[in-house]
């Protein structure tokens, strides 16, 4: 009998928000595991230390096994990460921020777990994408996440226009993210490429004390002061009118 792969959310950046964004049941279950897969073992241990402050861990922190899975992990190594579960041990997939397997390399491990008949259990926690949709006022019935847009200015402008056209035609909210230090350039590109009436939402530091969410037309964004979002995780949304 195999173990279960638990998908464990993390906070979206502020360690003080652990108690407010992760239910007690999730914290307790996390504390009972002694095998984890994470993008970075060091930050995963920092997360487990926060959990330990509220719930004793199954083993001393230094004895808990944490395997790494990130963009540099070859596909051939994924099977090895599941070996403890195939041997009957439960394990946790921990995100660096937010929920695992969404805009996250853990998705490949989850797919492989299904192929091996390993039960997968997603746990409740913060998702920046869903929080952004909720708070944007844009269409929450139909939306699409597009990851990162091109960094080349011309290609980015072309991609924005494509997404805007799709949004207008299908009445579908389009979401994307950017490397935090390029947030300013992204907002400028959006307000320049989009039609004046297209709605643009900028959602920054979601669930954190510094949270900021603003939805305005492209025309209004052109003249509005830039948000305080430099080097802060931000979700961008648009809806063509």
């Amino acid at each position: 009998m195999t173990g279960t792969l638990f998908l464990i959310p993390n906070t979206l950046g502020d360690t003080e928000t652990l108690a407010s964004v992760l239910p007690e049941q999730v914290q307790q279950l996390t504390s009972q595991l002694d095998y984890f897969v994470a993008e970075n073992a060091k930050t995963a241990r920092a997360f487990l230390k926060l959990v330990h402050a509220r719930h004793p861990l199954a083993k001393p922190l230094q004895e808990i096994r944490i395997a790494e899975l990130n963009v540099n992990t070859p596909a051939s190594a994924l099977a090895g990460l599941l070996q403890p579960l195939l041997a009957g041990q439960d394990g946790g997939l921990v995100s660096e921020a937010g929920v695992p397997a969404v805009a996250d390399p853990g998705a490949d491990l989850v797919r492989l777990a299904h192929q091996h008949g390993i039960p997968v259990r997603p746990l409740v926690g913060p998702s920046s994408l869903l929080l952004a949709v909720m708070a944007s006022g844009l269409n929450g019935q139909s939306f699409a996440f597009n990851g990162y847009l091109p960094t080349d200015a011309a290609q980015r402008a072309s991609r924005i226009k494509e997404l805007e056209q799709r949004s207008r035609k299908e009445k579908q909210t389009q979401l994307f993210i950017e490397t935090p230090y390029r947030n300013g350039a992204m907002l400028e590109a959006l307000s320049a490429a989009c039609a004046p009436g297209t709605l643009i939402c900028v959602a920054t530091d979601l669930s954190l004390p510094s949270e900021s969410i603003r939805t305005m037309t492209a025309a209004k964004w052109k003249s509005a002061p830039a948000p305080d979002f430099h080097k802060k995780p931000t979700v961008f949304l648009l809806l063509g009118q």
Side-chain angles (χ1 to χ4, degrees):
M1 185 174 180
T2 70
T4 296
L5 179 61
F6 293 92
L7 309 186
I8 302 171
N10 203 338
T11 69
L12 292 174
D14 184 355
T15 58
E16 299 301 319
T17 63
L18 179 68
S20 63
V21 299
L22 288 186
E24 280 292 310
Q25 182 181 10
V26 173
Q27 297 179 48
Q28 290 175 0
L29 192 153
T30 301
S31 71
Q32 295 166 11
L33 301 175
D34 58 11
Y35 174 62
F36 295 88
V37 178
E39 284 190 66
N40 183 287
K42 182 178 180 180
T43 54
R45 290 190 187 280
F47 168 70
L48 292 175
K49 187 175 181 179
L50 292 174
V51 173
H52 177 61
R54 300 176 60 85
H55 303 280
L57 299 180
K59 290 182 177 180
L61 186 57
Q62 62 270 23
E63 295 180 16
I64 291 177
R65 181 183 171 191
I66 302 177
E68 291 193 343
L69 170 59
N70 49 51
V71 294
N72 297 315
T73 303
S76 58
L78 294 180
L81 299 177
L82 292 178
Q83 283 305 311
L85 288 94
L86 290 171
Q89 181 179 2
D90 291 336
L93 175 64
V94 184
S95 176
E96 280 286 282
V99 297
V102 178
D104 179 274
D108 292 335
L109 188 68
V110 173
R111 182 169 62 251
L112 189 60
H114 284 296
Q115 293 174 6
H116 284 284
I118 295 172
V120 175
R121 281 193 56 192
L123 303 181
V124 175
S127 165
S128 60
L129 302 180
L130 287 180
L131 291 172
V133 172
M134 289 165 60
S136 67
L138 305 186
N139 190 358
Q141 295 287 347
S142 178
F143 53 90
F145 175 55
N146 299 278
Y148 291 90
L149 302 192
T151 56
D152 177 80
Q155 293 178 1
R156 182 175 55 210
S158 176
R159 180 63 172 148
I160 289 172
K161 290 181 181 297
E162 289 177 6
L163 293 175
E164 182 188 32
Q165 183 178 13
R166 177 182 176 186
S167 176
R168 186 180 297 114
K169 179 180 178 181
E170 301 182 16
K171 296 181 172 55
Q172 183 181 70
T173 301
Q174 302 296 320
L175 293 78
F176 38 91
I177 54 178
E178 180 53 279
T179 303
Y181 68 85
R182 287 201 291 259
N183 285 336
M186 174 58 75
L187 182 55
E188 289 179 8
L190 279 170
S191 57
C194 289
T198 290
L199 292 171
I200 298 171
C201 177
V202 179
T204 300
D205 276 353
L206 290 157
S207 81
L208 308 184
S210 54
E211 178 181 87
S212 170
I213 306 164
R214 295 170 65 187
T215 297
M216 297 189 294
T217 63
K220 288 186 177 180
W221 274 115
K222 283 185 177 181
S223 58
D228 178 18
F229 63 176
H230 183 56
K231 293 187 177 181
K232 295 181 178 181
T234 297
V235 180
F236 297 89
L237 307 88
L238 70 80
L239 182 63
Q241 301 294 293

